[in-house]
Amino acid sequence: MAERIKNLGEGAKGQWSLPLRKTPPSPLPQSLMGFNSAGEVRAKGPDFTSTISGLGGGCGGRAGTPYKKGPWPSPHIILALMVVWWFWGGVGVAWGATGPQAAAGVTPWWVWALILLGFSFLVGIVSLLGGMGGGTLFVSIIGGFLPFHLDFVRCASLLVALCGALSAGPGLLRYGMGDLRLSLPAALMTSSGAIFGALVGLKLSAQTVQTALGLTILGIVFIIVRAKKLEYPEVPTADPLSILLRIGGVYLDRATKEEVPWQVHRTPVSLLLFLLIGIMAGVFGIGAGWANVTVLNLIMGAPIKVAVGTSKLIICLTNTSAAWIYLHSGAVLLVILVPSIIGMMLGSWAGVYVLVRIAPIRLRYIVIALLLFAGIRSLLKGLGIWN
Amino acid sequence: MNKTQKSDIQLFYAKVIDRAAKLGFLLLLLTFSVYISGILTPYVPLEHLSQYWGVSAAKYLEATQIQPDWGWVAKLHHGDMLNFFPITILAGVAIFGYLCLVYKFFRNREIILGMIVIFQIMVLILAASGVLKIGGH
């Protein structure tokens, strides 16, 4: 049996891997956003592996690489000013001195719509740079600071992250960074789990979800700080299931212009983890891209760029199944949903501009700070300490 | 399956979801403009929304007498309900893409992956059917 598996493995490498590209793939149209254009940027500029890899600082980022400078102020300053503006110029004014719930009744709907548009724009930038789906940031901050019920926020978050993934997915597939075969079994597990999670999540009280969300986000911060992503994990032997499913191949790393062969292992245990990730995604209304990337890269051994790309494909399915449950349960408010989707898409486009001008390590700090703040806020709000 | 076929399936799937997502996004922009401009009378007036966005989805449905599931189809003449059409497209892009994949995988005699795709479609259709829903807390 072992001999047979070994032969199968060799067969997989020989017959089923992606073709070795002799030339880089053709540039993607500008209309495609996010990672498509980011791929072009990477080919010309610094390696943003650590930036897009779920913020792990352990690989790829070239600290000494000079970043492209333009006529604009430092992107860090622009980004920081936008965050400050959003909180104090937008949310602060809308709240007034009364807090979010009281302000909800007196502030016109279009003010909230503009706040959501602005915030989603920021989330679009940060999530693109941070290799996240954006759902976690969206739910934690919108759910924590704006007066909307978590049912509506979670539904909007799922669709926002879904739209982001749908925008990025085609480009990732074309570049070979997202692997369809790798995504198929994983997405089946996450989407099944997400249905169950959504049903449970809608049954829980808002306070319970807020508290659990706060704890989860603080856990995410811990993972981001501690986990060291691996650019090219060592996988000595592919496991039988991955061989059977013919998972593996070769992708062109546009930063190094190298063709990288890859295969995966520990597929069965990873599929169970994907089921748990799906449940969590459904409960909290997030895409859980950070969790997908961690499992794909650290446990299965997929190269980090393949893991990030494939994670987006998985999010498409996870969020689709969970979003349907929320949609059918009536958790849709258009003034929350539509501005958020528009902002996210515009932010993804703008993120590409920022990507060439911001150092990965500093971005990591921005995202960690935002998540830490939002996580503490969710926890305290759930516990009734800070309403 | 040879290498080219695998690449072809990826590119085909990329093309399908790319076009469907763009269609959904453009329609969403259009219908939302119709909604906020008041061209079609909304089922729930925009001015009243602030009364509902702080309550749970179940209470919102109860207060507005909106039928969940596919009830919006019968109310497409309202500006707000019209927006559910592009939202449904966006939420259905993956299903459509996977339906196309079934044909591709079976044509290439990749039975196992074809079966995974069929199971995935069944899961998504189960979610989209409205059979599984919850009344909220």
Side-chain angles (χ1 to χ4, degrees):
Chain A
M1 183 63 185
E3 186 65 26
R4 193 177 164 205
I5 290 168
K6 190 182 169 191
N7 292 339
L8 273 171
E10 285 167 359
K13 284 179 210 166
Q15 293 174 30
W16 300 317
S17 50
L18 278 168
L20 295 179
R21 278 185 169 149
K22 301 302 177 195
T23 54
S26 58
L28 292 163
Q30 284 298 316
S31 56
L32 293 172
M33 10 183 258
F35 282 95
N36 317 352
S37 307
E40 287 182 50
V41 168
R42 269 184 228 110
K44 295 174 189 168
D47 182 2
F48 286 94
T49 304
S50 66
T51 306
I52 64 166
S53 65
L55 312 159
C59 65
R62 296 174 189 166
T65 308
Y67 289 88
K68 188 178 171 184
K69 289 187 176 177
W72 299 81
S74 162
H76 305 98
I77 295 173
I78 296 175
L79 210 56
L81 285 174
M82 285 168 76
V83 171
V84 170
W85 165 80
W86 184 78
F87 267 107
W88 276 270
V91 181
V93 169
W95 278 17
T98 54
Q101 293 303 331
V106 294
T107 308
W109 67 269
W110 54 267
V111 174
W112 295 111
L114 287 176
I115 290 170
L116 283 166
L117 185 74
F119 175 71
S120 303
F121 180 77
L122 288 175
V123 169
I125 295 175
V126 173
S127 63
L128 174 76
L129 303 181
M132 305 168 77
T136 305
L137 275 175
F138 188 91
V139 168
S140 57
I141 296 181
I142 297 294
F145 292 96
L146 297 194
F148 311 124
H149 193 277
L150 263 183
D151 287 356
F152 304 116
V153 175
R154 282 180 289 173
C155 182
S157 162
L158 285 166
L159 284 162
V160 161
L162 173 63
C163 287
L166 286 173
S167 304
L172 293 167
L173 284 166
R174 285 175 192 145
Y175 274 87
M177 284 175 64
D179 190 81
L180 184 61
R181 284 165 182 277
L182 179 55
S183 76
L184 288 174
L188 180 59
M189 301 306 281
T190 56
S191 57
S192 304
I195 291 176
F196 177 73
L199 290 169
V200 171
L202 280 164
K203 207 66 187 164
L204 295 173
S205 72
Q207 284 73 22
T208 307
V209 176
Q210 281 282 11
T211 307
L213 180 65
L215 290 171
T216 304
I217 289 170
L218 294 178
I220 295 168
V221 171
F222 180 77
I223 290 173
I224 288 175
V225 170
R226 298 286 300 183
K228 302 291 184 193
K229 301 292 191 294
L230 300 170
E231 193 163 7
Y232 304 117
E234 193 177 331
V235 180
T237 315
D239 66 89
L241 184 57
S242 71
I243 292 168
L244 186 68
L245 298 173
R246 301 175 184 178
I247 297 171
V250 177
Y251 84 96
L252 175 72
D253 189 323
R254 291 175 63 83
T256 60
K257 303 212 183 307
E258 287 175 3
E259 288 158 334
V260 183
W262 62 274
Q263 56 185 357
V264 295
H265 58 175
R266 304 180 192 130
T267 307
V269 70
S270 300
L271 292 180
L272 288 177
L273 290 173
F274 280 120
L275 184 67
L276 295 177
I277 290 171
I279 293 172
M280 183 180 62
V283 169
F284 297 126
I286 59 178
W290 50 273
N292 292 335
V293 172
T294 303
V295 172
L296 289 166
N297 180 242
L298 295 183
I299 296 177
M300 297 186 79
I304 188 63
K305 289 185 181 178
V306 174
V308 171
T310 305
S311 168
K312 286 277 182 188
L313 300 179
I314 296 170
I315 288 173
C316 285
L317 280 302
T318 313
N319 285 23
T320 293
S321 57
W324 276 113
I325 303 295
Y326 279 87
L327 286 172
H328 285 312
S329 301
V332 183
L333 269 185
L334 296 168
V335 290
I336 300 175
L337 179 63
V338 182
S340 303
I341 289 177
I342 295 169
M344 178 74 172
M345 292 200 152
L346 294 177
S348 297
W349 276 314
V352 177
Y353 168 81
V354 180
L355 187 63
V356 292
R357 293 168 173 82
I358 193 164
I361 191 70
R362 291 184 187 174
L363 174 83
R364 187 167 179 253
Y365 294 141
I366 291 173
V367 174
I368 287 172
L370 277 173
L371 283 175
L372 199 59
F373 185 46
I376 291 170
R377 164 69 174 156
S378 287
L379 185 61
L380 295 179
K381 191 175 178 182
L383 294 172
I385 298 170
W386 180 15
N387 286 313
Chain B
M1 187 192 75
N2 63 36
K3 300 166 185 174
T4 311
Q5 281 172 330
K6 176 177 179 178
S7 184
D8 282 349
I9 290 177
Q10 287 216 164
L11 293 175
F12 173 75
Y13 181 64
K15 198 170 163 183
V16 168
I17 63 170
D18 185 35
R19 291 187 178 176
K22 281 177 181 165
L23 173 69
F25 181 62
L26 288 175
L27 282 175
L28 187 63
L29 286 179
L30 185 70
T31 55
F32 191 66
S33 304
V34 170
Y35 173 39
I36 59 175
S37 65
I39 295 172
L40 292 177
T41 314
Y43 185 78
V44 180
L46 276 163
E47 300 76 33
H48 296 177
L49 285 177
S50 60
Q51 300 168 19
Y52 304 120
W53 60 41
V55 302
S56 68
K59 287 179 182 165
Y60 166 66
L61 292 178
E62 190 183 332
T64 55
Q65 298 294 307
I66 291 177
Q67 294 295 316
D69 297 332
W70 296 93
W72 57 269
V73 176
K75 298 185 176 69
L76 279 176
H77 54 283
H78 291 289
D80 46 356
M81 295 296 164
L82 192 62
N83 285 267
F84 281 85
F85 179 62
I87 291 171
T88 302
I89 291 179
L90 287 170
V93 167
I95 301 175
F96 180 64
Y98 267 55
L99 281 170
C100 298
L101 278 183
V102 172
Y103 165 73
K104 286 280 184 183
F105 277 125
F106 278 102
R107 198 182 67 173
N108 292 335
R109 295 178 185 172
E110 293 199 72
I111 308 299
I112 295 175
L113 286 176
M115 291 305 293
I116 290 177
V117 172
I118 287 177
F119 283 131
Q120 180 69 78
I121 292 169
M122 287 165 65
V123 167
L124 293 177
I125 288 178
L126 179 68
S129 66
V131 174
L132 299 175
K133 62 175 184 291
I134 205 115
H137 44 273

